[in-house]
Amino acid sequence: MLINKQLIGEVDGKSVYEYTLKNGNGIEISCLNYGCAITKMITPDNKGNYENIVLGFQDLAAYQDNPIYAGVVVGRIAGRIQDAQFTLDGKTYTLASNDGQNHLHGGLRGFHKVVWDVKTLDTEQEVVIEFSYTSLDGEEGYPGTLATKVTYTLNDQNEFMIHYYGQTDQETLFNPTNHTYFNLSGNVKQDISQHSLKINSSQFLELTQELMPTGKFIDVKDTVFDFRNGRKIKEGIDSSDSQNIIAGRGYDHPFVLDSHYNQEIVLHDEKSGRNLVVESDAVGVVLYTGNQIPTNLDIHGVKSRPYLGLCLETQGLPDSIHHPNFPSCILKKDQKFSTMTKYTFSVG
Ligand code: G6D
């Protein structure tokens, strides 16, 4: 197993490196200690062509901009928080209103915008990068000093695991995710509209025009949100369902996972033959089909456009602090937060 690192610049006076993990089957995963951003995932297609299957940029400046959150760890809270405020123990906290009047993806300087400390571990069985960051009390408006750790592990079974850990000295909110856009065609040869997706989920969350959960769980049955037997993404893009229209033609919705670590999410591209299995102990997954990707970004030399990639953001349910009927994302003092998502690459 291999780990290489290359200095690519500096942010806030700290060196930023691109790390590349490589396993014995030629699969490579590259990432930055800035935002834990995954920059490349190189995997083979059914003809043995090793190509990149994620959206990313060619330089650090682009990741400092990164309006689409490509590849990054999002936190303290993934998704939106209504009116950019919440109340804990009778005290109201005000966050950045960086998405209309709402809060999105941890704020202006969330986890995606900071330089993380790094340790690496290279063994016969696996390579591990351990990112750590301490978010101080009051950072981005959140209470409590939150010590976080994110590890990326690649092994020779073509499994890539992301572990998220957190511990706080004062009650706070914590609901991290990774915002990588996948495109299994390889080197963004095509968009993701023809990708097939299976999600073992019988319910998704209804959204408002502002893409905030209404609190209502909708049964997927007889809708284009039913991925239990597999479905092409294009069906949701072309759908006249009001929820697909609200999302900007496609999906931007949280799904409740009906099973865990049981091949509950499977993405497939017929032409390349690539499969991606995503398994997690997270309550849910946000399927975002890149509906709002602008056309002014350089994606490894390809002009960006909607539907160039899709995200499978495993996480707790968004805005749960305002929905008592959702599982909570409150992290209590000294409680140990731990969740893991596994990605398995194959062809066939
Ligand atoms: C848009 O609504 C979507 C979000 O779900 C996504 O995470 C973001 O773009 C990058 O705001």
Side-chain angles (χ1 to χ4, degrees):
M1 311 294 283
L2 268 175
I3 294 184
N4 295 316
K5 82 176 195 181
Q6 183 187 355
L7 181 64
I8 64 166
E10 193 174 291
V11 174
D12 301 336
K14 295 177 183 173
S15 296
V16 176
Y17 295 89
E18 182 171 51
Y19 297 83
T20 298
L21 311 176
K22 188 169 184 177
N23 75 3
N25 306 314
I27 286 183
E28 292 185 25
I29 294 178
S30 298
C31 54
L32 309 181
N33 59 319
Y34 178 69
C36 309
I38 292 173
T39 56
K40 288 190 267 314
M41 285 185 173
I42 310 288
T43 74
D45 68 3
N46 49 16
K47 298 184 178 64
N49 301 309
Y50 281 76
E51 300 165 317
N52 181 24
I53 62 166
V54 302
L55 302 194
F57 306 112
Q58 309 206 77
D59 58 42
L60 177 56
Y63 280 99
Q64 289 179 276
D65 176 34
N66 197 1
I68 64 171
Y69 298 81
V72 295
V73 164
V74 171
R76 293 193 191 189
I77 287 284
R80 292 170 169 84
I81 293 181
Q82 183 78 50
D83 298 330
Q85 65 178 12
F86 63 90
T87 300
L88 268 185
D89 286 340
K91 186 173 179 194
T92 297
Y93 297 92
T94 301
L95 310 173
S97 303
N98 58 327
D99 187 64
Q101 85 266 13
N102 302 316
H103 177 77
L104 176 66
H105 288 345
L108 298 172
R109 192 175 176 277
F111 286 2
H112 63 296
K113 291 279 187 184
V114 297
V115 179
W116 293 60
D117 294 328
V118 179
K119 286 182 190 165
T120 59
L121 176 66
D122 181 352
T123 73
E124 281 299 304
Q125 290 70 38
E126 60 189 18
V127 281
V128 185
I129 289 191
E130 178 188 281
F131 297 109
S132 54
Y133 178 69
T134 297
S135 175
L136 296 177
D137 179 32
E139 186 171 83
E140 281 303 312
Y142 289 93
T145 291
L146 173 66
T148 59
K149 197 166 67 171
V150 175
T151 63
Y152 289 167
T153 303
L154 177 65
N155 64 29
D156 274 343
Q157 288 71 49
N158 298 341
E159 298 168 331
F160 175 63
M161 280 78 74
I162 303 182
H163 280 84
Y164 306 87
Y165 304 92
Q167 195 162 347
T168 181
D169 66 354
Q170 180 190 335
E171 197 168 74
T172 190
L173 303 184
F174 190 38
N175 180 27
T177 192
N178 181 278
H179 206 286
T180 291
Y181 292 78
F182 295 99
N183 181 326
L184 302 186
S185 67
N187 296 343
V188 284
K189 289 198 289 293
Q190 296 173 330
D191 71 19
I192 50 89
S193 58
Q194 292 301 326
H195 280 29
S196 301
L197 178 64
K198 186 205 88 169
I199 306 178
N200 190 4
S201 170
S202 52
Q203 289 185 311
F204 71 100
L205 293 187
E206 180 186 62
L207 299 180
T208 68
Q209 291 286 349
E210 295 171 339
L211 301 172
M212 293 298 316
T214 64
K216 189 176 169 193
F217 293 82
I218 300 184
D219 191 323
V220 301
K221 192 171 179 329
D222 301 329
T223 76
V224 293
F225 290 79
D226 190 348
F227 287 95
R228 291 173 294 188
N229 296 313
R231 180 180 298 275
K232 288 220 169 145
I233 298 298
K234 183 170 171 47
E235 293 183 56
I237 296 171
D238 296 344
S239 160
S240 59
D241 184 310
S242 61
Q243 284 293 304
N244 296 116
I245 304 297
I246 279 175
R249 295 199 173 280
Y251 302 90
D252 197 352
H253 292 78
F255 288 77
V256 179
L257 290 173
D258 291 347
S259 64
H260 301 280
Y261 300 132
N262 188 22
Q263 303 220 340
E264 56 268 21
I265 303 168
V266 182
L267 184 65
H268 174 69
D269 172 55
E270 194 168 333
K271 194 165 183 183
S272 67
R274 287 192 177 94
N275 300 302
L276 172 69
V277 176
V278 182
E279 299 169 301
S280 180
D281 53 359
V283 166
V285 60
V286 168
L287 167 62
Y288 173 52
T289 45
N291 324 326
Q292 299 179 41
I293 296 178
T295 55
N296 64 335
L297 303 174
D298 176 341
I299 305 289
H300 289 306
V302 174
K303 191 167 180 287
S304 62
R305 63 185 190 271
Y307 314 117
L308 203 55
L310 64 81
C311 300
L312 296 163
E313 305 162 45
T314 51
Q315 60 189 260
L317 299 185
D319 202 31
S320 59
I321 189 65
H322 292 121
H323 295 280
N325 59 326
F326 291 2
S328 171
C329 287
I330 295 174
L331 186 63
K332 297 201 178 303
K333 181 179 183 311
D334 298 333
Q335 178 188 349
K336 290 188 180 352
F337 177 96
S338 172
T339 181
M340 191 275 279
T341 294
K342 180 167 79 169
Y343 306 79
T344 305
F345 310 106
S346 64
V347 285

